[in-house]
Amino acid sequence: MLRLRAPAKLNLYLRVLGRRADGYHELETFFERLDLADELTLTPQARGIDVTCDDPALDCGPSNLITKAASLLQQTFQVTGGAAIHLTKRIPIAAGLGGGSSDAAAVLRGLNRLWRLGLSSEQLREMGAGLGSDVPFFLFKEAVFAIGRGRGERCEPLAGLTPTLWHVLVVPPERLSTKEIYDGFDRRERVLTAPASSLSMCLHALRNGSLSELAKGLLNDLEPEAIRRCPVITEIRTRLRTSGCPGALVSGSGSAVFGLCEDAEHARRVAATLSSSAPAEWRLHLVRTDSEGDDDAL
Ligand code: C5P
């Protein structure tokens, strides 16, 4: 039996450069891996892929990326054996935190070992890209920060970048569909103007450990559409700012919003201020940048 961590991600920067002929959007994004993680156990069995989850709200059928990842490996490499996969869900669902993609990446990594397929990380990333745009990012062990281009699947890990960021993550109950957010973006935000921030600004801020510069560099082109579908995001952003965060932003296609914090103590204070007044249905998480090489460490 194998136990694996499947960490969440944030997008500190997400710029949509345009719509492509295949319907996807060309992106420039800055990923950060978080210490908030799902847990997967993989147990070999004679045949078949059986997926279970502790969260009854999650569909564990053929449309789940875990099932898709396992079936893809099984069919591509004509694996005769099967696997029972159990997911302990901790990453909020449909919140822009990459939980489904990370689970799929962990399944690719885990079954590669369990079924002794001998695939390289690069081969796994190629297969992962077919499952979802964010999957390859989770198949880099060597870096917790990465730049994503193309659909987001062309990743450049930033191995020299080692700061630990602290965040308060606020997740409202609304779930947002990534496809619908991109579709809404097409309908309304197609006139793309030059942004006030850039990828190099974020990189510079992280290299210098400047939180105020990073706060100015936060950008997400999908945020206006996420707010239209989930207006409470505006209130969450404001509350994070007034609770002391120098910057706050929606992650990916939402609905999770993160606030930048100076350190662990500051994050605890922000979380305490917020939790004393926030609606009970908002979920608050105190999270930080994941540790390097920690993505497989169970
Ligand atoms: O790649 P993934 O399956 O995560 O994407 C989900 C949906 O989000 C896609 O079907 C597409 O509609 C949209 N998407 C996009 N451009 C991207 C990534 C996702 O339009 N770069």
Side-chain angles (χ1 to χ4, degrees):
M1 190 184 91
L2 267 184
R3 282 171 72 207
L4 296 168
R5 273 178 88 236
K9 60 85 183 164
L10 290 182
N11 301 83
L12 297 171
Y13 179 94
L14 195 161
R15 170 95 170 123
V16 179
L17 301 173
R19 193 167 196 264
R20 314 192 318 191
D22 63 4
Y24 280 90
H25 294 74
E26 195 69 13
L27 302 182
E28 239 179 26
T29 190
F30 203 115
F31 292 111
E32 177 193 1
R33 202 170 78 205
L34 297 181
D35 66 339
L36 171 68
D38 289 344
E39 190 183 314
L40 287 125
T41 55
L42 278 56
T43 314
Q45 61 183 22
R47 57 177 53 82
I49 308 289
D50 296 315
V51 181
T52 52
C53 178
D54 66 335
D55 181 350
L58 199 81
D59 178 4
C60 293
S63 66
N64 189 300
L65 274 187
I66 291 178
T67 317
K68 285 188 181 173
S71 304
L72 179 67
L73 279 183
Q74 204 183 35
Q75 280 158 24
T76 310
F77 300 100
Q78 292 161 1
V79 178
T80 45
I85 303 174
H86 183 72
L87 168 67
T88 305
K89 195 76 199 155
R90 299 201 185 97
I91 305 172
I93 300 165
L97 299 169
S101 304
S102 186
D103 294 343
V107 166
L108 291 180
R109 271 201 326 266
L111 290 181
N112 184 37
R113 273 161 61 185
L114 210 64
W115 289 340
R116 299 180 201 284
L117 299 175
L119 299 168
S120 66
S121 300
E122 204 178 324
Q123 286 172 303
L124 291 177
R125 284 196 290 272
E126 247 172 62
M127 298 192 84
L131 293 166
S133 307
D134 290 340
V135 178
F137 166 67
F138 293 109
L139 290 161
F140 280 103
K141 262 193 184 170
E142 62 270 33
V144 289
F145 293 100
I147 290 172
R149 294 198 168 84
R151 289 187 280 126
E153 92 289 11
R154 273 177 29 222
C155 268
E156 181 192 330
L158 299 163
L161 213 54
T162 53
T164 297
L165 300 178
W166 290 87
H167 312 283
V168 171
L169 197 61
V170 183
V171 189
E174 290 84 352
R175 292 176 180 182
L176 296 179
S177 142
T178 303
K179 185 183 179 327
E180 285 174 19
I181 295 295
Y182 275 102
D183 288 349
F185 174 87
D186 283 338
R187 282 194 300 277
R188 305 180 211 242
E189 260 90 38
R190 286 310 297 279
V191 184
L192 295 162
T193 50
S197 163
S198 68
L199 212 52
S200 56
M201 197 169 148
C202 290
L203 203 53
H204 188 263
L206 282 173
R207 287 213 167 104
N208 293 330
S210 167
L211 208 64
S212 58
E213 197 187 338
L214 182 62
K216 282 192 207 122
L218 295 179
L219 178 135
N220 185 346
D221 278 342
L222 300 177
E223 191 174 67
E225 183 57 28
I227 289 173
R228 266 190 285 272
R229 286 172 183 268
C230 179
V232 77
I233 286 172
T234 308
E235 190 190 336
I236 296 174
R237 277 194 58 170
T238 307
R239 289 230 204 168
L240 281 165
R241 297 295 298 267
T242 52
S243 303
C245 293
L249 189 75
V250 162
S251 180
S253 52
S255 57
V257 185
F258 65 92
L260 286 182
C261 298
E262 280 152 28
D263 50 29
E265 183 45 41
H266 181 222
R268 273 192 281 275
R269 281 203 308 275
V270 169
T273 309
L274 259 173
S275 63
S276 64
S277 62
E281 71 264 25
W282 294 3
R283 281 170 68 187
L284 262 60
H285 301 261
L286 212 154
V287 298
R288 62 170 176 80
T289 311
D290 207 12
S291 302
E292 264 180 276
D294 227 19
D295 62 336
D296 223 0
L298 275 178

